[in-house]
Amino acid sequence: MVVSVSCKKLYNPPAISAPGSYLVVEGVINNGPDSTIFKLSHTVNLASKITLNPLTGAVLTIESDQNALYPLTETRKGNYGIGSLQLDNTRKYRLRIKTADDEYLSDFVPVINAPLVDTVNFNVESKGIQINVGTHDAVNNTKYYRWDYQETWVFHSYYQSGYVSNGDTVVERLFPANEVYNCWGNDTSSTIILGSSAKLSQNIITNNPLTFVSSTSEKLGTKYSIIVREYALTADAYKFWQILKTNTEQLGSIFDAQPSQINGNIHSTKNPSDAVIGYVSAGTVTSKRIFITDQQLPGWVPAQPYPNCSLDSIYLQYKPAGATVAVNQENVYFNYHHLANPQDALIPVAAIIVIPPIGPELIIGHTGAQPECVDCTLRGTNKQPVFWK
């Protein structure tokens, strides 16, 4: 018998351990009613504990090839914006970025307005729903497209709380200001979604895949909405996004194509050889929103996001039979709970429960649960979105 013994040595590839940091520029010059927003950041090493590295204090200006200037304002850390722009479709535009130690310019780009989004639809499959987008350009100005999306959905806490502790006692919860049972969650697309009609006989794209939502997802529990934004691209911009998509989604097998150099259209004026990640485009962005309710689906039951929730009594008060009890019966819990260990009190108060009369006495008790089981605002917002139907 032959035994082979080998040692494994930790390998830190250059992409992980390299000390360099590259400027990342995200955004488009929006020719329309919506604001133009650019996000600036620096890349971080994969081994770093920092995941976000926004660039603050920069000066951003949109410039036309006729020297028209549109300054942006830093609205929050690393985000720079300007309100509605009405650009001349016959002119070209670029972005200028001034930082403390460098200056960057994008190439001048034409204004390409995206056609309307024709459809956003979904197909019910065995394990969830596949959401797709469709579009076309009747005047044949656009053959390259990019999409992103934002999801919104209703979700609930495990227990519905009609009461809250004010520190000394229990009072009725104020609705809707202190609603903590119904909340809305949000998520944005994290992949690059592209489409092209350049090799098609007609400039029509149908059922281009956007995202798949699992049947067990909490998103489909009650009501779900998705808004899809469509961007028109030049051939060069489409090529950039294709390379970026390949580099960011590659699985890393030795048989995979090796990462390609990402050459955007933004350059340092001080050090032209420095890499800048991003591509500035200009044009109108179009969008379409749909809603999907649980009635449109096959009765799927979402996975329980609160697997360890339980109610415990935290206080009992004995009153004689016939005493007035100020409890709204609509908010009374159906699962009665007897006092077990009054010294093991939980701080958050979930609700008041009423235990039916036993002999001459009526037992009134308060119950509590872990905060995440009662308060949905720990995972979302209780402010209903303005677009919500």
Side-chain angles (χ1 to χ4, degrees), residues 152-380:
T152 307
W153 63 92
V154 173
F155 70 94
H156 312 288
S157 56
Y158 191 82
Y159 296 113
Q160 184 167 6
S161 171
Y163 300 84
V164 64
S165 172
N166 65 3
D168 297 323
T169 184
V170 174
V171 296
E172 289 193 34
R173 185 178 293 279
L174 297 176
F175 292 96
N178 292 330
E179 166 72 70
V180 293
Y181 179 71
N182 296 295
C183 280
W184 285 263
N186 291 279
D187 201 3
T188 56
S189 49
S190 58
T191 59
I192 298 170
I193 308 165
L194 302 172
S196 172
S197 61
K199 296 182 179 180
L200 303 178
S201 58
Q202 291 181 301
N203 195 349
I204 300 174
I205 294 177
T206 59
N207 292 326
N208 194 85
L210 284 173
T211 187
F212 184 85
V213 185
S214 170
S215 61
T216 60
S217 172
E218 184 183 43
K219 297 176 183 179
L220 303 180
T222 303
K223 192 173 187 179
Y224 167 89
S225 179
I226 184 171
I227 183 170
V228 180
R229 290 178 291 264
E230 181 172 284
Y231 307 85
L233 304 177
T234 63
D236 286 340
Y238 182 76
K239 182 179 179 181
F240 165 83
W241 287 106
Q242 272 191 316
I243 294 172
L244 187 61
K245 179 180 177 70
T246 300
N247 287 356
T248 55
E249 297 179 5
Q250 201 67 259
L251 295 178
S253 163
I254 61 172
F255 300 106
D256 287 336
Q258 294 303 302
S260 304
Q261 179 67 38
I262 304 174
N263 294 317
N265 65 345
I266 308 165
H267 317 281
S268 166
T269 60
K270 187 176 180 181
N271 302 293
S273 61
D274 285 356
V276 180
I277 301 174
Y279 199 102
V280 174
S281 298
T284 300
V285 180
T286 58
S287 64
K288 192 176 187 67
R289 178 183 294 281
I290 65 168
F291 290 85
I292 303 172
T293 66
D294 55 348
Q295 285 94 358
Q296 297 171 267
L297 303 174
W300 291 322
V301 178
Q304 177 53 258
Y306 313 99
N308 300 312
C309 290
S310 61
L311 282 176
D312 282 307
S313 297
I314 65 171
Y315 176 76
L316 279 185
Q317 179 180 359
Y318 291 85
K319 289 190 176 182
T324 301
V325 181
V327 175
N328 182 347
Q329 294 298 318
E330 293 181 357
N331 290 327
V332 170
Y333 269 93
F334 60 83
N335 51 333
Y336 300 137
H337 186 88
H338 286 278
L339 180 66
N341 299 300
Q343 70 276 11
D344 296 334
L346 294 178
I347 294 175
V349 172
I352 292 179
I353 60 172
V354 175
I355 297 176
I358 302 175
E361 296 177 322
L362 182 68
I363 304 174
I364 307 243
H366 308 304
T367 64
Q370 301 92 328
E372 62 273 15
C373 301
V374 178
D375 188 353
C376 66
T377 63
L378 297 177
R379 298 195 299 120

Side-chain angles (χ1 to χ4, degrees), residues 77-97:
K77 218 170 185 179
N79 282 33
Y80 303 81
I82 186 173
S84 174
L85 294 174
Q86 300 299 321
L87 303 178
D88 185 346
N89 289 359
T90 65
R91 310 280 14 133
K92 292 184 177 182
Y93 296 84
R94 70 181 178 185
L95 179 68
R96 183 184 295 272
I97 303 170

